[in-house]
Each structure stands twice: as C-alpha cells, then as structure tokens.
Amino acid sequence: MHPALNIAIKAARRAGQIINRASNDLDLLTVTAKQPNDFVTEVDKKAEAVIIETLQEAYPGYGILAEESGTTAGRGDAEYQWIIDPLDGTTNFIHGMPQYAISIALAKGNSLEQAVIFDPNRNELFTASKGAGAFLNERRIRVSRRTKLQESLIGTGFPYRMFDHIDTYLAIFKEIAQKTAGQRRPGAASLDLAYVACGRYDGFWEFGLSPWDMAAGALLISEAGGLVGDMRGEANYLETGNLIAGTPKVFAPLLKLIEGHLPESVRG
C-alpha cells in the first residue's frame, strides 16, 4: 500500500472516531448554515482539523483543499494537493440518518493519485491508488457487469442550495425513472460514487458538486473499471462540478439521455 494512502486512511479513521462519538449526542450539536440548506457543525470542523493535522504531519509540503477551511496551498503552489471532505452528508448526520462519509483524495497536478472514502457507520473503508485497483476493506472491487440501462440502478443528487436548473433535473429524473430499474438519492455523493465502484449502483449523475465531493470517488470508479466524465463525457468534472459515472456499457446511454435535456449553461 502506498505510504500516502496509509496516512490518508489514518486521518480518515481519526475523523471517524470524532464523528461516531458526536453521533451519540446529536441534540448537543451547534449547527450553523453556510448558506440556505448548506449546514456545518463543530463536528465537521473538528474532523477536518484532525485530518489536516494528520496529513500535514506526514507531508508538510503538500497543499490542502478542504471544504470548511478552503485552500491552504493552491494547485499552482504545490505539486501535490489533498482534497478533503471531513463529513460528506452533514444534513443526514444532523438528522441522525446514517448515510455520510469522510472523503480524502490526493492529486498530483490534475491527476488523482490516492483515494479514501470511509463510512464510519458501517466501518466500510474504500481505497484506491492510481494504477493499483480499488478496494473495500482490503477486498478488490469492480463496477457491476450490467450492460443495459433498463436493468440499472442509478444514484443521483438533487439541488439543495441553488434551484436554477430544477426543471432540468426533474425532466432528467423523469426519463431515467422510466428507462431504468430505479434511482436513489441518499444524500452523500462520495458514498454514491463508492457504491458505483463496488457495483451497488450501475451509474450516477449530479450537477453542482464540489471537488471534495467527487475526487476520491472518481478515482475509485476509474480503478474499479468504470467511467467518469462531465456532461460532455470529458474529464473536466472537477472544474465544472457536473458529473456522470457508470459501468462501461451504462455510461454512454446514460450520458446520451442526460445530454438531451441540458441547456447550454450546464453543459461541460
């Protein structure tokens, strides 16, 4: 296992301990809104602090892009950059819904090199290193073998901050509902992507994501034999925030279906 991946796992597990302890006393949480329907708790901040402390202790020269604290060294300032979501699914967490995770990725320039997604509720640890495959609790994982969209289970996420394209979302959701085995919207994009990587979902789509929502999961899917792209099927999803993923056979028809509904403002 790559040394950087080992450190990321250590950081994720330390954050998971903080989150698990706090989950027993949700009524005591201080919750604030960064913007409408976008919440942060002291748990997010504590988890992020311990992740950054752990990573910087081992790799002091690496940059950090983290959801709560922002960028401590941009991609232009450091060859390597950690991309961190300390608690993906905060809204689920504060409501006691056990669907949230810690997501940590390491990028070298524009290349994703290492990935960790840790679900502290199920003690499920998803890991990947570029060129070395993807794993769930040390067991090799692959995307599903499904080849037909109509047999596929698709994950998604609906708008919760900005609703400029809600009609587009609903039109896409309606057609996918009619042409697949079903859709799911649990509310933690990093876990949704991990589920594509291990075959629980056959595809995923969402608009308006942040790099820390996508980075680790995108590498997991690629290393598990799946495809990841933006709304043009290209590799700019970390920049655009718009992402489609799936098995090799499901990706193309899912992309084609979604493209048919997109206004020019959300293409790419």
Side-chain angles (χ1 to χ4, degrees), residues 147-235:
T147 60
K148 297 179 180 179
L149 190 61
Q150 60 264 35
E151 297 173 354
S152 297
L153 182 64
I154 305 297
T156 188
F158 281 169
Y160 62 96
R161 291 189 299 251
M162 297 180 64
F163 299 93
D164 296 353
H165 305 294
I166 187 66
D167 291 336
T168 300
Y169 264 93
L170 293 175
I172 295 170
F173 184 88
K174 180 179 179 181
E175 186 170 358
I176 291 177
Q178 294 170 331
K179 294 183 177 180
T180 67
Q183 288 182 92
R184 300 291 183 269
R185 196 278 190 194
S190 63
L191 277 181
D192 290 333
L193 295 173
Y195 287 4
V196 174
C198 71
R200 294 173 185 171
Y201 289 157
D202 307 299
F204 176 82
W205 64 282
E206 188 169 353
F207 303 150
L209 293 168
S210 298
W212 45 80
D213 299 318
M214 299 179 283
L219 181 59
L220 277 168
I221 292 170
S222 296
E223 289 297 320
L227 298 175
V228 184
D230 59 20
M231 296 301 163
R232 296 185 186 273
E234 299 172 357

Side-chain angles (χ1 to χ4, degrees), residues 32 42 44 50 54 73 88 91 97 107 121 137 158 164 170 173 182 230 258:
T32 56
E42 69 265 33
D44 297 71
V50 78
T54 305
D88 181 28
T91 300
M97 180 177 173
N121 287 293
N137 293 341
F158 281 169
D164 296 353
L170 293 175
F173 184 88
D230 59 20
I258 292 171

Side-chain angles (χ1 to χ4, degrees), residues 26-197:
L26 291 177
D27 291 342
L28 302 179
L29 286 181
T30 300
V31 180
T32 56
K34 294 183 284 187
Q35 53 185 307
N37 297 328
D38 190 5
F39 302 103
V40 62
T41 72
E42 69 265 33
V43 178
D44 297 71
K45 296 175 181 178
K46 288 178 181 178
E48 183 170 292
V50 78
I51 290 170
I52 292 174
E53 176 188 1
T54 305
L55 298 177
Q56 289 190 324
E57 185 178 278
Y59 296 95
Y62 286 13
I64 299 285
L65 177 62
E67 179 174 15
E68 307 307 336
S69 58
T71 304
T72 60
R75 287 188 180 180
D77 301 320
E79 182 181 13
Y80 289 90
Q81 184 180 55
W82 296 106
I83 305 172
I84 303 162
D85 192 336
L87 179 51
D88 181 28
T90 299
T91 300
N92 284 347
F93 174 73
I94 63 180
H95 286 83
M97 180 177 173
Q99 185 76 6
Y100 45 83
I102 298 118
S103 178
I104 304 172
L106 178 62
K108 181 182 181 182
N110 293 319
S111 174
L112 295 169
E113 301 286 317
Q114 309 293 335
V116 172
I117 295 174
F118 179 48
D119 178 348
N121 287 293
R122 300 173 182 85
N123 196 32
E124 289 190 334
L125 180 71
F126 297 87
T127 59
S129 293
K130 186 176 181 180
F135 297 83
L136 167 54
N137 293 341
E138 301 183 358
R139 177 180 59 83
R140 185 73 178 261
I141 55 174
R142 300 286 296 177
V143 296
S144 82
R145 296 181 179 180
R146 289 189 180 84
T147 60
K148 297 179 180 179
L149 190 61
Q150 60 264 35
E151 297 173 354
S152 297
L153 182 64
I154 305 297
T156 188
F158 281 169
Y160 62 96
R161 291 189 299 251
M162 297 180 64
F163 299 93
D164 296 353
H165 305 294
I166 187 66
D167 291 336
T168 300
Y169 264 93
L170 293 175
I172 295 170
F173 184 88
K174 180 179 179 181
E175 186 170 358
I176 291 177
Q178 294 170 331
K179 294 183 177 180
T180 67
Q183 288 182 92
R184 300 291 183 269
R185 196 278 190 194
S190 63
L191 277 181
D192 290 333
L193 295 173
Y195 287 4
V196 174

